[in-house]
Amino acid sequence: MDIRVLRYFLAVAREESITKAAETLRMTQPPLSRQLKELEEELGKQLFIRGSKKVTLTEDGMLLRKRAEELVDLMEKTKAELTASSENTGGDIYIGCGETESISLLAQAAQDLQKKHPLIHYHIYSGDAEHVMEKLDKGLIDFGLLVGEADIGKYDFLKLPQKDVWGVLMRKDCPLAEKETVCAEDLWNKPLIVSHQSSINAEMLHWLRTDISRLNIVATYDLLYNAAQFAKKGFGYVIALDRLVNTTGNSDLCFKPLFPAMEAELCIVWKKHQVHSRAARAFLVTLQTVLSCQASAR
């Protein structure tokens, strides 16, 4: 498969029209149609359902779209690394991370590095550990910031000195808001809002001391900001990490830690034997300096 043809395929998938795709690609329709037909013949699969008003992807087409996006992204990343100037460190750094206040450490490293190398640009992707590791394994990101339990044996890594604290985010007028801490029994009969990742986390289920089928999980979330809006309406109690949502001042929300305490470890990971770009190497060295300074200050 030619990367150029994959770009053509993605354009048609995005526009849902060969005519519109040809316009965005600045080419005529006949050669574009011919390239797509040859791609289907090469793969031995029908990729499109050509309707009277729009073109839609078949199941095989949807699979190819996912893989093609990854291949094109990786090609662009590789091209940028190879064409970066040897005189001035620049280029792109790709980071995947879960929701954690400790992203501020990476932001500090980026800020410090920017003073020396302003031509470096950063791309931040959010997701749980599974999605971050998937992107890392495919070479789509340089570093991953993992929160909580994860199999990091296949990576090189830096463990962060601090840990995130699990607790419950709720309205300040909720009955549990009067407690200093929240125990498992407090949540057994409450409407719960949990993250997709923690909802299947063995450690969390062990802390709750009950089967997941007995819990009243009314919603799940990817981004805590969105879950917090449900909590503000009194829809449920959000099991979440601390320091991600403002609970001070006039906020309607408060955060109460779990008891016994439950903490999430944090670590920066990257592929073993990874050949980093100059920009990525410089970022890693700067991050190590930031972590070292923070450890010394403790």
Side-chain angles (χ1 to χ4, degrees), residues 6 16 23 31 45 50 58 66 70-71 77 87 126 146 153 165 188 208 224 286:
L6 289 181
E16 297 185 335
E23 292 174 356
K45 299 288 185 180
R50 295 163 174 81
T58 63
K66 184 176 186 300
E70 293 171 351
L71 288 169
K77 183 175 181 293
E87 297 179 0
S126 297
L146 304 183
V165 176
W188 286 349
L208 286 165
L224 183 55
T286 305

Short mmCIF file of all heavy atoms in Angstrom, two decimals, residues 6 16 23 31 45 50 58 66 70-71 77 87 126 146 153 165 188 208 224 286:
data_model
loop_
_atom_site.label_atom_id
_atom_site.label_comp_id
_atom_site.label_asym_id
_atom_site.label_seq_id
_atom_site.Cartn_x
_atom_site.Cartn_y
_atom_site.Cartn_z
N LEU A 6 -3.23 5.88 0.76
CA LEU A 6 -3.90 5.88 2.05
C LEU A 6 -4.42 7.28 2.39
O LEU A 6 -5.50 7.43 2.99
CB LEU A 6 -2.94 5.40 3.15
CG LEU A 6 -2.58 3.91 3.13
CD1 LEU A 6 -1.64 3.58 4.28
CD2 LEU A 6 -3.84 3.05 3.19
N GLU A 16 -16.88 11.68 2.90
CA GLU A 16 -18.01 10.82 2.51
C GLU A 16 -18.47 11.12 1.09
O GLU A 16 -19.63 10.97 0.74
CB GLU A 16 -19.19 10.98 3.49
CG GLU A 16 -18.85 10.54 4.90
CD GLU A 16 -20.05 10.60 5.83
OE1 GLU A 16 -20.98 11.40 5.57
OE2 GLU A 16 -20.07 9.85 6.82
N GLU A 23 -11.77 17.45 -4.60
CA GLU A 23 -11.59 18.89 -4.50
C GLU A 23 -10.58 19.25 -3.42
O GLU A 23 -9.71 20.11 -3.63
CB GLU A 23 -12.93 19.56 -4.21
CG GLU A 23 -13.93 19.48 -5.36
CD GLU A 23 -15.29 20.03 -4.98
OE1 GLU A 23 -15.47 20.41 -3.79
OE2 GLU A 23 -16.18 20.08 -5.85
N PRO A 31 -9.15 9.93 -11.69
CA PRO A 31 -7.95 9.25 -11.15
C PRO A 31 -8.11 8.86 -9.69
O PRO A 31 -7.56 7.84 -9.25
CB PRO A 31 -6.83 10.27 -11.34
CG PRO A 31 -7.51 11.59 -11.51
CD PRO A 31 -8.82 11.30 -12.17
N LYS A 45 -10.77 -6.57 -0.81
CA LYS A 45 -11.89 -6.21 0.06
C LYS A 45 -12.64 -5.00 -0.49
O LYS A 45 -12.03 -4.11 -1.09
CB LYS A 45 -11.39 -5.85 1.47
CG LYS A 45 -10.64 -6.97 2.19
CD LYS A 45 -11.58 -8.07 2.64
CE LYS A 45 -10.84 -9.12 3.46
NZ LYS A 45 -11.73 -10.21 3.91
N ARG A 50 -20.95 2.70 -2.16
CA ARG A 50 -21.14 3.91 -2.96
C ARG A 50 -22.63 4.15 -3.17
O ARG A 50 -23.27 3.53 -4.02
CB ARG A 50 -20.40 3.76 -4.29
CG ARG A 50 -18.87 3.68 -4.11
CD ARG A 50 -18.18 3.13 -5.34
NE ARG A 50 -16.73 3.18 -5.25
CZ ARG A 50 -15.98 2.29 -4.60
NH1 ARG A 50 -16.57 1.27 -3.98
NH2 ARG A 50 -14.66 2.41 -4.57
N THR A 58 -17.37 0.32 4.59
CA THR A 58 -17.76 -1.02 5.01
C THR A 58 -17.04 -1.33 6.32
O THR A 58 -16.23 -0.54 6.81
CB THR A 58 -17.36 -2.07 3.95
OG1 THR A 58 -15.92 -2.07 3.84
CG2 THR A 58 -17.98 -1.75 2.60
N LYS A 66 -8.84 3.14 10.60
CA LYS A 66 -8.12 3.23 11.87
C LYS A 66 -6.63 2.99 11.66
O LYS A 66 -5.79 3.74 12.16
CB LYS A 66 -8.68 2.20 12.86
CG LYS A 66 -8.07 2.27 14.26
CD LYS A 66 -8.76 1.29 15.18
CE LYS A 66 -8.29 1.44 16.63
NZ LYS A 66 -6.87 1.22 16.80
N GLU A 70 -3.25 5.73 11.77
CA GLU A 70 -2.05 5.47 12.57
C GLU A 70 -0.80 5.50 11.70
O GLU A 70 0.23 6.08 12.08
CB GLU A 70 -2.18 4.12 13.26
CG GLU A 70 -3.27 4.08 14.32
CD GLU A 70 -3.53 2.68 14.84
OE1 GLU A 70 -2.98 1.71 14.25
OE2 GLU A 70 -4.29 2.54 15.82
N LEU A 71 -0.87 4.91 10.51
CA LEU A 71 0.28 4.87 9.62
C LEU A 71 0.67 6.26 9.12
O LEU A 71 1.85 6.61 9.08
CB LEU A 71 -0.02 3.96 8.42
CG LEU A 71 -0.05 2.45 8.70
CD1 LEU A 71 -0.62 1.70 7.51
CD2 LEU A 71 1.35 1.94 9.03
N LYS A 77 5.21 11.91 11.78
CA LYS A 77 6.09 12.03 12.95
C LYS A 77 7.53 11.71 12.57
O LYS A 77 8.46 12.43 12.93
CB LYS A 77 5.60 11.10 14.06
CG LYS A 77 6.38 11.18 15.37
CD LYS A 77 5.70 10.30 16.41
CE LYS A 77 6.43 10.37 17.74
NZ LYS A 77 7.75 9.79 17.72
N GLU A 87 21.18 21.96 13.70
CA GLU A 87 21.76 23.12 14.38
C GLU A 87 20.88 23.58 15.54
O GLU A 87 21.38 23.91 16.61
CB GLU A 87 21.97 24.26 13.38
CG GLU A 87 22.94 23.91 12.26
CD GLU A 87 23.11 25.05 11.27
OE1 GLU A 87 22.46 26.10 11.47
OE2 GLU A 87 23.88 24.90 10.31
N SER A 126 -5.06 12.69 25.69
CA SER A 126 -5.62 12.19 26.95
C SER A 126 -6.23 10.82 26.75
O SER A 126 -6.79 10.51 25.70
CB SER A 126 -6.70 13.16 27.47
OG SER A 126 -6.13 14.42 27.75
N LEU A 146 1.32 7.46 33.06
CA LEU A 146 0.35 6.47 33.49
C LEU A 146 -0.06 6.71 34.93
O LEU A 146 0.78 7.01 35.79
CB LEU A 146 0.92 5.05 33.35
CG LEU A 146 1.43 4.66 31.95
CD1 LEU A 146 1.91 3.21 31.96
CD2 LEU A 146 0.35 4.86 30.90
N GLY A 153 6.55 -3.32 32.88
CA GLY A 153 7.77 -4.10 32.74
C GLY A 153 8.40 -4.03 31.37
O GLY A 153 9.62 -4.18 31.23
N VAL A 165 -4.36 10.83 45.13
CA VAL A 165 -5.24 10.30 46.16
C VAL A 165 -6.65 10.11 45.62
O VAL A 165 -7.23 11.02 45.01
CB VAL A 165 -5.28 11.26 47.38
CG1 VAL A 165 -6.28 10.77 48.43
CG2 VAL A 165 -3.90 11.39 48.00
N TRP A 188 -22.14 1.96 49.19
CA TRP A 188 -22.84 0.78 48.70
C TRP A 188 -24.24 1.08 48.17
O TRP A 188 -24.69 0.46 47.22
CB TRP A 188 -22.92 -0.28 49.81
CG TRP A 188 -21.61 -0.97 50.05
CD1 TRP A 188 -20.48 -0.88 49.28
CD2 TRP A 188 -21.28 -1.82 51.14
NE1 TRP A 188 -19.46 -1.63 49.82
CE2 TRP A 188 -19.93 -2.24 50.97
CE3 TRP A 188 -22.00 -2.30 52.24
CZ2 TRP A 188 -19.30 -3.09 51.87
CZ3 TRP A 188 -21.36 -3.15 53.13
CH2 TRP A 188 -20.02 -3.55 52.94
N LEU A 208 -13.75 -1.48 47.62
CA LEU A 208 -15.20 -1.38 47.82
C LEU A 208 -15.77 -2.60 48.55
O LEU A 208 -16.87 -2.53 49.10
CB LEU A 208 -15.90 -1.19 46.48
CG LEU A 208 -15.75 0.20 45.85
CD1 LEU A 208 -16.15 0.17 44.38
CD2 LEU A 208 -16.60 1.22 46.61
N LEU A 224 -12.99 14.01 33.94
CA LEU A 224 -13.58 14.34 35.23
C LEU A 224 -14.37 15.65 35.18
O LEU A 224 -15.36 15.80 35.90
CB LEU A 224 -12.49 14.43 36.30
CG LEU A 224 -12.97 14.69 37.73
CD1 LEU A 224 -13.99 13.65 38.16
CD2 LEU A 224 -11.79 14.72 38.69
N THR A 286 15.50 17.16 30.62
CA THR A 286 14.93 18.28 31.38
C THR A 286 13.94 17.78 32.42
O THR A 286 13.91 18.27 33.56
CB THR A 286 14.23 19.27 30.43
OG1 THR A 286 15.14 19.68 29.41
CG2 THR A 286 13.75 20.50 31.18
#
